[in-house]
């Protein structure tokens, strides 16, 4: 039973990693060429996802379909994902720069 759950979760993770647009964008932003775009994308994406989350939560509070709670969770997760990426990108850029300049005697 554990092997079945393990294999099913691996298949779901593989599908979500390769087909969901935000995961593909985050994968691209983690590359050396995309790192310079990580902070601007995060600055735009975080408020957008938080605004969409607040709209869905307001609709649910006012008697809308409770299925929108799933969208609230997805929007919250995506905003957290881009916030971590926006904080991580300058650190990653700095470590790459220091590794490249490590050959110099300062």
């Amino acid at each position: 039973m554990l092997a079945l759950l393990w294999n099913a979760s691996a298949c779901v993770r593989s599908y979500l990693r390769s087909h969901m647009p935000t995961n593909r964008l985050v994968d691209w932003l983690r590359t050396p060429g995309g790192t310079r775009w990580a902070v601007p994308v995060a600055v735009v994406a975080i408020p957008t996802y938080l605004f969409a989350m607040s709209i869905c939560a307001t609709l649910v509070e006012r008697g809308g379909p409770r299925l929108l709670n799933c969208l609230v969770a997805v929007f919250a997760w995506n905003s957290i994902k881009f916030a971590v990426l926006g904080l991580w990108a300058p650190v990653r850029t700095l470590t790459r720069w220091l590794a490249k300049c490590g050959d110099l005697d300062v």
Side-chain angles (χ1 to χ4, degrees):
M1 183 68 174
L2 183 61
L4 178 66
L5 289 174
W6 185 273
N7 291 334
S9 68
C11 289
V12 169
R13 182 196 180 281
S14 171
Y15 175 78
L16 292 177
R17 172 65 47 206
S18 62
H19 289 89
M20 296 299 158
T22 56
N23 288 338
R24 296 180 80 175
L25 179 62
V26 167
D27 287 342
W28 178 75
L29 290 172
R30 287 180 180 159
T31 63
T35 304
R36 74 179 97 137
W37 292 101
V39 174
V41 168
V43 166
V44 171
I46 294 167
T48 304
Y49 278 118
L50 291 176
F51 181 67
M53 182 182 72
S54 68
I55 288 175
C56 289
T58 303
L59 288 173
V60 169
E61 277 182 7
R62 294 184 180 176
R66 293 185 184 256
L67 188 61
L68 291 176
N69 283 325
C70 294
L71 283 178
V72 170
V74 169
F75 291 148
W77 178 253
N78 283 337
S79 65
I80 292 169
K81 186 172 17 178
F82 281 109
V84 168
L85 180 71
L87 293 172
W88 173 81
V91 173
R92 181 72 175 158
T93 303
L94 183 63
T95 57
R96 283 185 183 160
W97 182 75
L98 289 174
K100 188 184 292 184
C101 294
D103 297 333
L104 302 175
D105 292 333
V106 177

